[in-house]
Amino acid sequence: MTLRAAVLGHPISHSKSPALHRAAYAYLGVDFTYTAIDVTEAALPGFMRQVRDEAGGGWRGLSVTMPLKSAMVAEVDEVRGVARVLGVVNTVAFEPAGPDSGGQTRLVGYNTDVAGIVNALRHAGAASAPTAAVLGGGGTAAAAIAALKELGAVSADVFVRDVGRAAEARAASAAVGLPVQVLPLAGAAAAVAAADVVISSLPPRAADALAGELAAELGEESSARPGVLLDVAYDPWPSRIAAAWQESGGFVVPGLEMLIYQAVEQVRHFTGLGETMPAGVIDVMCDAVGAPRRVF
């Protein structure tokens, strides 16, 4: 039987997840289809009921992107690991429910975004125990806060367009024990420029105004030189903030890097290979999206 997986989100046509996953399954020699499905938050419960009805039809996994990461928590049978701590799910694995289940499949939620961010920043040589800033306050920002905790940060500034709408970031701060200060995005340039690590979880073009402020802050007369910026928005690329950062001498990590590393973890869950998955999988995934192969 052909096995099935998909990425869900809205909008979703730009997603590079199908290219990454298809390359991995071809390399592994497993019979998997992987598609992109446009699903709004309002339509998610109905879609998941349909998936459960088809669970015997080969479903093995779902990748979950904006705006569904928090809503997916209510649609699975169990949430494990950091996803349970954060209340944010970007991965759903279809797992056998055990001998007493009557053959039922159990839907288990995970979060591989945290591993994706940590590995992307470590691959870029980000400082340990960095001073840190996060742009945005939603589900990906929550993963960013958990990742910064793992990287040794002692606190982080979280810059949002509306300080009254950063519940997920605040919850993540409390859950992982990393103190955050939630501040308005407008006027954030000076603090952002001074951070060792900046993670932008904003949608495409949402940081364009800040990019102009950063360019002025980091102009030729400034002695400040930015650290590492991870911009999770990878289409269009380079984003304005990434271009401004790089032109000022900072190091930019494309969101594609995070996407690759989190997708590797998803393939482990969907195939059941875990730590036995061959190391060469990440190379073919990089090839599929035009990213440099890893050098370890």
Side-chain angles (χ1 to χ4, degrees):
M1 173 175 35
T2 298
L3 304 178
R4 302 169 66 188
V7 58
L8 313 180
H10 176 75
I12 202 64
S13 60
H14 67 285
S15 177
K16 295 187 184 297
S17 291
L20 290 168
H21 280 260
R22 290 167 186 167
Y25 303 133
Y27 177 84
L28 292 168
V30 293
D31 188 8
F32 250 92
T33 64
Y34 188 100
T35 56
I37 304 175
D38 195 299
V39 180
T40 65
E41 190 169 354
L44 182 63
F47 177 84
M48 293 303 293
R49 285 193 295 271
Q50 179 183 341
V51 165
R52 285 183 181 275
D53 290 343
E54 299 173 351
W59 279 105
R60 289 295 180 270
L62 298 170
S63 307
V64 184
T65 188
M66 294 188 293
L68 307 177
K69 293 180 180 183
S70 296
M72 185 58 83
V73 172
E75 304 299 331
V76 298
D77 300 310
E78 181 183 356
V79 182
R80 292 182 188 161
V82 70
R84 183 175 64 251
V85 174
L86 297 178
V88 179
V89 166
N90 82 315
T91 303
V92 178
F94 292 64
E95 301 181 2
D100 299 325
S101 66
Q104 294 295 312
T105 299
R106 191 167 181 79
L107 274 59
V108 181
Y110 296 94
N111 188 301
T112 66
D113 280 341
V114 176
I117 293 169
V118 169
N119 289 330
L121 288 171
R122 283 178 173 162
H123 182 68
S128 58
T131 57
V134 177
L135 309 182
T140 305
I145 290 166
L148 289 168
K149 175 71 172 180
E150 189 168 333
L151 289 167
V154 297
S155 65
D157 290 334
V158 177
F159 296 97
V160 294
R161 289 170 286 184
D162 180 353
V163 295
R165 299 182 63 185
E168 289 164 298
R170 289 189 172 97
S173 166
V176 303
L178 181 72
V180 301
Q181 184 176 205
V182 179
L183 300 163
L185 185 63
V192 170
D196 296 325
V197 170
V198 177
I199 302 171
S200 175
S201 67
L202 294 171
R205 301 184 178 88
D208 284 1
L210 178 60
E213 296 173 14
L214 276 169
E217 182 72 28
L218 297 167
E220 292 182 4
E221 297 181 4
S222 173
S223 60
R225 285 296 173 266
V228 175
L229 167 71
L230 168 59
D231 186 354
V232 304
Y234 56 83
D235 185 22
W237 190 261
S239 61
R240 282 189 62 191
I241 191 172
W245 197 267
Q246 196 161 33
E247 287 167 7
S248 301
F251 191 90
V252 173
V253 183
L256 191 56
E257 290 285 310
M258 170 194 167
L259 187 71
I260 291 167
Y261 281 112
Q262 65 84 30
V264 169
E265 300 305 312
Q266 291 182 335
V267 172
R268 294 185 200 277
H269 286 299
F270 296 171
T271 60
L273 289 173
E275 296 304 315
T276 66
M277 192 169 74
V281 168
I282 194 169
D283 285 336
V284 298
M285 295 172 82
C286 289
D287 293 346
V289 293
R293 288 191 170 194
R294 311 295 88 166
V295 177
F296 298 103

